């Protein structure tokens, strides 16, 4: 657990975000603007499997690219695009050839924070083409594909190796509410497993308080209700809180529940109330993820509900795994608390404290 936690420090700095491709039809061409973590791609990371750049084999090369000035990284991007763009298979009546028209690189800034690089890409459309598909290459991680300048534009999320459905170039491919709900469930689940290390540790902190079901249900219910509220409010733009405030407080919430596990034996009324407060913070953290993906404008509520369902399924999966590995076998043992729950909670507290210090001072 300690290796898992400390390998995933400062989540906003080292977790990978999906690539975003915004596209539109201009006369007889498709124009694309690809927002990507170029350093991760160019260093050779398998973004289908890598969760945290610090723990990847290519971490040193990634960090070296991170500190390059925009002009230097732009040259790397241009060279990378020559070999990578042909792996993005776009068809519209026939296979299209994507060509690089320009590269835009953000300044270096804080080398601990990811920066965006934009590839400006175009492809010629054959006469009469009115639909397209895009196959996202394996190893490229998540893709958010967004259509612009048409009625009912297509928006979708795809993983490496997946092919989009047929997309009308004149529009009409917008997801139905049901499709949006279903499409955002895996996004929410993925944010917990495997990407949400801080949320995983918080849920484990709830689990190790007691191996009995009733106390766990009270805590998870309070946590779920709270983060559902702030997730909705933040996603809809009703409340905005800086990540510089939210992320350290999330780490502090991990420390609190873990330390309390060590000194408190019985579920008091105030613990679910405190957990409700921490759930409000975690909801703001979940909302920052949806900021990267965006929500379909005509199906915001179903997509938001789908994401939240995915988050809950991820949390329940964490609890189920913990119960299967620990609770089922040792939960009723008289020395469970002293030999399992307290050492595990102490480890969680140490990891949370490390994250808090890093997010505030480092």
């Amino acid at each position: 657990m300690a290796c898992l936690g400390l390998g995933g420090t400062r989540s906003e700095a080292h977790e990978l975000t999906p690539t975003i491709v915004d596209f539109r039809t201009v006369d007889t061409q498709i124009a694309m603007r690809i927002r990507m973590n170029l350093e991760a791609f160019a260093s050779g990371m398998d973004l289908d499997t890598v969760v945290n750049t610090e723990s990847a084999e290519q971490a040193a090369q990634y960090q070296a690219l991170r500190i390059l000035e925009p002009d230097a990284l732009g040259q790397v991007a241009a060279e990378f695009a020559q070999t990578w763009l042909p792996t993005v298979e776009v068809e519209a009546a026939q296979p299209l050839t994507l060509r690089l028209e320009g590269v835009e690189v953000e300044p270096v800034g804080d080398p601990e924070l990811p920066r965006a690089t934009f590839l400006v890409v175009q492809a010629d459309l054959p006469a009469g083409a009115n639909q397209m598909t895009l196959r996202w290459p394996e190893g490229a991680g998540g893709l958010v594909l967004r259509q612009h300048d048409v009625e009912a534009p297509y928006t979708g999320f795809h993983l490496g190796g997946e092919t989009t459905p047929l997309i009308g170039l004149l529009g009409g491919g917008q997801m139905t509410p049901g499709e949006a709900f279903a499409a955002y469930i895996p996004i929410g689940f993925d944010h917990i497993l495997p990407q949400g290390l801080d949320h995983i540790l918080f849920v484990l902190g709830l689990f190790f308080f007691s191996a009995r079901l009733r106390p766990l249900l009270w805590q998870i219910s309070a946590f779920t209700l709270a983060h559902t509220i702030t997730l909705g409010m933040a996603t809809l733009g009703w409340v905005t809180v800086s990540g510089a405030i939210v992320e350290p407080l999330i780490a502090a919430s991990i420390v609190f529940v873990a330390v309390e596990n060590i000194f408190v034996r019985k579920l008091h009324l105030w613990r679910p109330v405190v957990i409700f407060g921490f759930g409000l913070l975690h909801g703001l953290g979940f909302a920052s993820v949806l900021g990267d993906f965006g929500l379909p404008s005509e199906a915001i509520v179903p997509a938001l509900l789908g994401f939240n369902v995915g988050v809950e399924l991820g949390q329940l999966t964490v609890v189920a795994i913990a119960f299967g590995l620990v609770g089922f076998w040792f939960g009723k043992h008289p020395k469970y608390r002293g030999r399992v729950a307290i050492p595990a909670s102490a480890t969680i507290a140490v990891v949370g404290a490390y994250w808090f210090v890093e997010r505030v001072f480092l």
Side-chain angles (χ1 to χ4, degrees):
M1 186 185 302
C3 292
L4 173 69
L6 294 176
T9 61
R10 196 169 179 175
S11 60
E12 75 277 14
H14 305 296
E15 286 183 7
L16 293 167
T17 56
T19 299
I20 299 176
V21 176
D22 293 296
F23 75 98
R24 52 178 49 83
T25 302
V26 181
D27 298 326
T28 59
Q29 295 180 328
I30 287 182
M32 295 183 175
R33 182 176 169 85
I34 303 175
R35 181 188 186 276
M36 65 195 315
N37 185 328
L38 190 279
E39 297 92 332
F41 277 88
S43 63
M45 291 184 183
D46 182 348
L47 304 186
D48 292 342
T49 58
V50 171
V51 175
N52 187 285
T53 57
E54 280 196 331
S55 59
E57 294 181 7
Q58 303 85 357
Q61 184 178 357
Y62 173 82
Q63 290 300 329
L65 292 172
R66 280 289 303 121
I67 61 176
L68 287 181
E69 293 297 327
D71 289 344
L73 187 60
Q75 294 179 3
V76 173
E79 294 174 2
F80 166 78
Q82 297 304 314
T83 57
W84 180 74
L85 283 178
T87 69
V88 182
E89 301 174 12
V90 181
E91 293 193 13
Q94 65 185 44
L96 305 185
T97 300
L98 301 180
R99 60 180 182 272
L100 184 67
E101 297 291 334
V103 177
E104 302 170 13
V105 182
E106 292 183 344
V108 174
D110 183 348
E112 288 297 312
L113 299 176
R115 59 173 164 174
T117 296
F118 298 87
L119 304 183
V120 181
V121 175
Q122 290 185 354
D124 296 322
L125 285 170
N130 55 20
Q131 292 180 317
M132 64 165 275
T133 61
L134 183 150
R135 182 183 184 278
W136 192 235
E138 294 182 2
L143 162 69
V144 177
L145 184 63
R146 306 189 298 204
Q147 188 178 23
H148 296 269
D149 299 341
V150 295
E151 293 290 333
Y154 174 83
T155 300
F157 175 73
H158 304 279
L159 299 174
E162 292 185 351
T163 301
T164 69
L166 283 171
I167 302 171
L169 296 178
L170 299 180
Q174 191 170 61
M175 288 187 290
T176 65
E179 290 172 336
F181 176 81
Y184 277 78
I185 290 176
I187 297 175
F189 186 91
D190 184 68
H191 183 59
I192 299 297
L193 284 172
Q195 294 191 22
L197 296 180
D198 45 3
H199 303 298
I200 289 173
L201 287 192
F202 186 86
V203 172
L204 287 177
L206 303 183
F207 171 81
F208 282 116
F209 177 78
S210 172
R212 293 184 297 113
L213 183 61
R214 185 175 180 181
L216 182 61
L217 288 179
W218 271 107
Q219 295 174 85
I220 290 182
S221 297
F223 182 63
T224 297
L225 176 61
H227 74 62
T228 299
I229 292 172
T230 47
L231 173 60
M233 294 177 64
T235 302
L236 296 174
W238 297 348
V239 61
T240 302
V241 182
S242 170
I245 297 174
V246 172
E247 293 296 332
L249 290 178
I250 288 177
S253 73
I254 296 170
V255 176
F256 179 91
V257 296
V259 170
E260 191 178 31
N261 289 350
I262 298 172
F263 296 103
V264 177
R265 289 176 173 269
K266 183 180 178 181
L267 179 67
H268 297 282
L269 178 61
W270 48 266
R271 179 170 168 109
V273 173
V274 172
I275 289 173
F276 181 87
F278 288 146
L280 297 175
L281 293 172
H282 283 252
L284 296 174
F286 294 142
S288 68
V289 177
L290 283 182
D292 292 324
F293 288 85
L295 290 170
S297 58
E298 298 300 320
I300 291 178
V301 173
L304 184 59
L305 291 175
F307 180 85
N308 200 62
V309 168
V311 167
E312 299 316 313
L313 291 175
Q315 292 176 169
L316 292 176
T317 301
V318 171
V319 171
I321 292 173
F323 181 79
L325 293 177
V326 179
F328 178 79
W329 300 101
F330 309 109
K332 295 182 180 180
H333 193 282
K335 295 186 178 180
Y336 169 79
R337 174 174 165 79
R339 294 187 177 181
V340 178
I342 290 179
S345 296
T347 303
I348 292 172
V350 169
V351 175
Y354 179 83
W355 281 344
F356 179 81
V357 171
E358 185 187 41
R359 293 173 184 183
V360 174
F361 301 107
L362 302 181

